[in-house]
Amino acid sequence: MRLEQLQQQLKFISMIFNCLYQAVSVQHLKQNGSQLIESIRSGEYRPLPVRRVEIPKPDGGKRLLGIPTVTDRVIQQAIAQVLTPIYEKQFSDSSYGFRPGRNAKQAVMKCKEYIEAGYDWTVDIDLAKYFDTVNHDKLMRLLSKTIKDSRVLSLIRKYLQSGVMINGVVMGTKEGTPQGGNISPLLSNVMPVALSSRNL
């Protein structure tokens, strides 16, 4: 058997396994939903570590992704759905990254508008390793200015500190919001609001 055929078969088997895993996880949610909700309300819920995956970047480097369990993805999505409309009102109109209904093409079109209006400069800011270096304490302090429910703040901190699993070994996380989590795009946009004293 040729190497390419073997790799395709392994990829196919991996896809089947992932589908089965998700189906089992969804069934788990259906059977244990009320207990899960109660554990979140009581503050006893503990997120599991995310699975660390490296994907190649166009420049030759690697982007680190953290893949949460299905249960944690569902919880994070619920948090994001409630908090996103609240924080969207605080975000700059000049910010296009990782926001609902916004994309890079719109940012380019906005730059074109500025050029046609007579401006000479546009600025594209990309913070290197931003997701990996977000300071947890500073982020939580910023979140607490808007979120007044201590249970929600506690749950978000637990997600930030849930750790990563690399090749079966769990390691703690002292900084960063792992790319791959449903709540990470929202959290990554909270910090720049504090960095700018006015909208651009």
Side-chain angles (χ1 to χ4, degrees), residues 169-192:
V169 178
V170 176
M171 300 172 64
T173 43
K174 295 180 180 176
E175 62 180 3
T177 63
Q179 280 182 274
N182 301 52
I183 200 169
S184 294
L186 172 65
L187 297 181
S188 70
N189 272 308
V190 170
M191 195 74 85

Side-chain angles (χ1 to χ4, degrees), residues 67-147:
I67 311 300
T69 65
V70 173
T71 299
D72 285 324
R73 272 188 275 175
V74 170
I75 296 169
Q76 285 190 32
Q77 185 60 36
I79 295 169
Q81 282 181 215
V82 172
L83 295 182
T84 297
I86 296 167
Y87 278 100
E88 273 297 311
K89 296 172 187 170
Q90 300 177 21
F91 295 157
S92 168
D93 255 356
S94 301
S95 169
Y96 290 87
F98 303 105
R99 292 180 60 192
R102 289 176 170 250
N103 57 47
K105 195 177 281 188
Q106 291 171 328
V108 171
M109 292 306 294
K110 187 52 112 174
C111 289
K112 188 174 179 241
E113 283 179 33
Y114 287 142
I115 290 167
E116 289 170 354
Y119 289 92
D120 295 324
W121 295 89
T122 60
V123 179
D124 174 21
I125 299 174
D126 183 13
L127 303 174
K129 298 193 179 288
Y130 176 64
F131 277 91
D132 303 328
T133 58
V134 171
N135 181 292
H136 290 171
D137 291 333
K138 288 180 182 176
L139 176 60
M140 292 308 302
R141 199 162 39 252
L142 288 171
L143 290 171
S144 68
K145 291 179 179 179
T146 300
I147 303 169

